[in-house]
Amino acid sequence: MITLGIEGTAHTLGIGVVDSRYEVLADIREIYEPVRGIHPREASQFMSENIKKVLDAALTKADVCMGEVGLVSFSQGPGMGPCLRTIATAARALSLHYGIPILGVNHCIAHIEVGKILCGLKDPLTLYVSGGNTQILKLKEGYYRIFGETLDIGVGNMLDKFGRETDLKHPAGPKIEKLARKGARYIELPYVVKGTDLSFSGLLTSALQKTKDNPIEDVCFSLQETAFAMLTEVTERALAHLAAKEVLLTGGVGNNMRLQEMLGVMAEDHDALFDVPRGYCSDNGVMIALLGLLMHNSGIRSDISQTYVKQRFRTDTVEIKW
Ligand code: ATP
Ligand code: FE2
């Protein structure tokens, strides 16, 4: 069965097409570039203006027509209301017009499942790091339990805010990574870990202050070293506590090579496998299609009346039946 997945929770409009063997047939993404922070209404307008183009490109790439699609899945939340409503409307229209079953999926769980499928992991401890989210999760008794999370902003959001104040274009994560490679001197910054929870707002304020009298490269280097050491410490604490044998890194910040390196070394110390879904850490439609297919294959069905969007859709409220 061909599954089409639509992502559009914030900045990325993505449509993925997968087949019944979970193979990727198409992965088309269009990214909204905000001038100063993501404006929900503008981002949703970007989605409605681009959806036809992205859909046509995905179908062409996958070499399928809508008549061959057996399931339409879409990001039901969490995310920005106007964006979520735009893609949900598109998914409903396709479902009704072509008579195709529809499933709304949790965006955060999609980030985890794409990692498990592409990396071939069975029961990983997951570090999910993106703009809006920073969580350490593991499947336990039918739910992804959150063992630790940020107490304020997501680590990606922290990097993007740092970039906004220092004139790095959005998203700042990749630019900070590049600048950090040229940094050599570590500048002391606040390191805030509470058990398996973390906080990034003090780190952000302090790093911004340090840019006044230090080279930006050194500040970026120190910002990454501090934030990623915090993430590695909490992941290690959860790993030791849960005796996990696999560590999965996912979400947009998972693209960062330095973070991958630090977690890889830590996992090796504990004889645990470490992996990251390279190319699929950032928001994409493929992960939405894959989760839709997993849910469908485990017997989950939904009706149009159940496709209302959930702006604050918590990861630990979804029963994992697959
Ligand atoms: P979510 O709804 O899951 O929070 P999101 O809308 O934040 O998703 P993602 O694509 O998962 O979207 O993550 C985007 C974040 O990833 C941005 O904050 C961006 O700066 C960050 N990012 C992307 N590439 C890198 C990188 N190489 N290093 C660090 N951060 C990165
Ligand atoms: Fe995301």
Side-chain angles (χ1 to χ4, degrees):
M1 184 180 72
I2 303 289
T3 302
L4 186 125
I6 312 177
E7 161 58 27
T9 52
H11 45 77
T12 301
L13 171 65
I15 296 192
V17 182
V18 303
D19 68 12
S20 49
R21 290 165 301 138
Y22 300 90
E23 296 285 341
V24 179
L25 303 182
D27 171 24
I28 308 292
R29 308 176 198 184
E30 280 289 331
I31 302 170
Y32 160 71
E33 283 181 14
V35 185
R36 239 190 111 78
I38 302 174
H39 189 297
R41 185 168 34 82
E42 283 174 14
S44 72
Q45 251 159 24
F46 171 86
M47 306 220 160
S48 50
E49 280 160 15
N50 285 281
I51 189 117
K52 175 79 170 64
K53 186 175 89 183
V54 173
L55 177 64
D56 287 345
L59 294 173
T60 304
K61 179 82 188 39
D63 197 19
V64 295
C65 61
M66 275 313 293
E68 293 170 85
V69 174
L71 175 69
V72 172
S73 67
F74 70 99
S75 261
Q76 197 167 12
M80 294 178 171
C83 300
L84 292 173
R85 283 190 287 277
T86 302
I87 58 144
T89 304
R92 285 183 207 116
L94 290 173
S95 165
L96 289 170
H97 184 76
Y98 293 99
I100 306 167
I102 184 169
L103 277 179
V105 313
N106 180 293
H107 174 93
C108 309
I109 294 179
H111 271 296
I112 303 175
E113 298 297 348
V114 70
K116 282 168 73 173
I117 291 172
L118 297 182
C119 303
L121 300 177
K122 290 189 181 65
D123 184 23
L125 175 72
T126 301
L127 175 64
Y128 164 38
V129 275
S130 59
N133 292 284
T134 298
Q135 296 178 332
I136 298 120
L137 313 111
K138 190 157 184 302
L139 190 60
K140 208 142 173 70
E141 287 152 15
Y143 291 86
Y144 280 111
R145 313 277 170 171
I146 299 167
F147 288 92
E149 62 186 322
T150 178
L151 299 172
D152 41 52
I153 50 175
V155 62
N157 202 324
M158 184 273 287
L159 296 171
D160 294 337
K161 282 187 168 161
F162 178 84
R164 206 184 302 163
E165 301 305 322
T166 52
D167 292 329
L168 303 174
K169 239 179 106 199
H170 185 94
K175 284 127 206 157
I176 293 171
E177 177 172 20
K178 238 177 157 175
L179 288 166
R181 272 192 222 122
K182 295 188 206 132
R185 192 172 57 90
Y186 181 76
I187 305 158
E188 192 90 21
L189 291 171
Y191 183 100
V192 189
V193 162
K194 300 178 185 195
T196 39
D197 289 332
L198 322 111
S199 153
F200 293 105
S201 57
L203 173 59
L204 170 64
T205 311
S206 180
L208 284 172
Q209 275 165 1
K210 301 286 182 194
T211 56
K212 288 183 193 138
D213 42 19
N214 292 283
I216 184 81
E217 291 83 359
D218 286 348
V219 182
C220 288
F221 168 70
S222 309
L223 183 60
Q224 279 203 169
E225 290 304 298
T226 310
F228 298 167
M230 286 162 56
L231 291 167
T232 306
E233 180 186 331
V234 294
T235 308
E236 182 171 31
R237 185 162 297 130
L239 180 77
H241 182 69
L242 298 164
K245 290 280 153 241
E246 300 167 333
V247 178
L248 171 68
L249 171 64
T250 194
V253 185
N255 288 306
N256 192 289
M257 305 289 278
R258 178 62 181 140
L259 179 59
Q260 291 181 17
E261 184 187 1
M262 285 165 91
L263 286 163
V265 169
M266 182 279 288
E268 204 179 334
D269 275 355
H270 291 266
D271 291 324
L273 279 173
F274 168 74
D275 215 341
V276 48
R278 287 182 182 81
Y280 292 92
C281 280
S282 299
D283 288 356
N284 63 85
V286 168
M287 67 183 195
I288 305 303
L290 289 174
L291 176 53
L293 182 59
L294 276 174
M295 289 167 66
H296 184 87
N297 286 345
S298 70
I300 300 171
R301 301 289 181 270
S302 91
D303 183 269
I304 289 281
S305 66
Q306 294 164 297
T307 59
Y308 50 85
V309 306
K310 303 175 182 175
Q311 281 188 63
R312 290 180 215 291
F313 197 176
R314 286 278 299 183
T315 318
D316 51 5
T317 58
V318 179
E319 190 181 356
I320 309 302
K321 296 186 177 168
W322 48 93

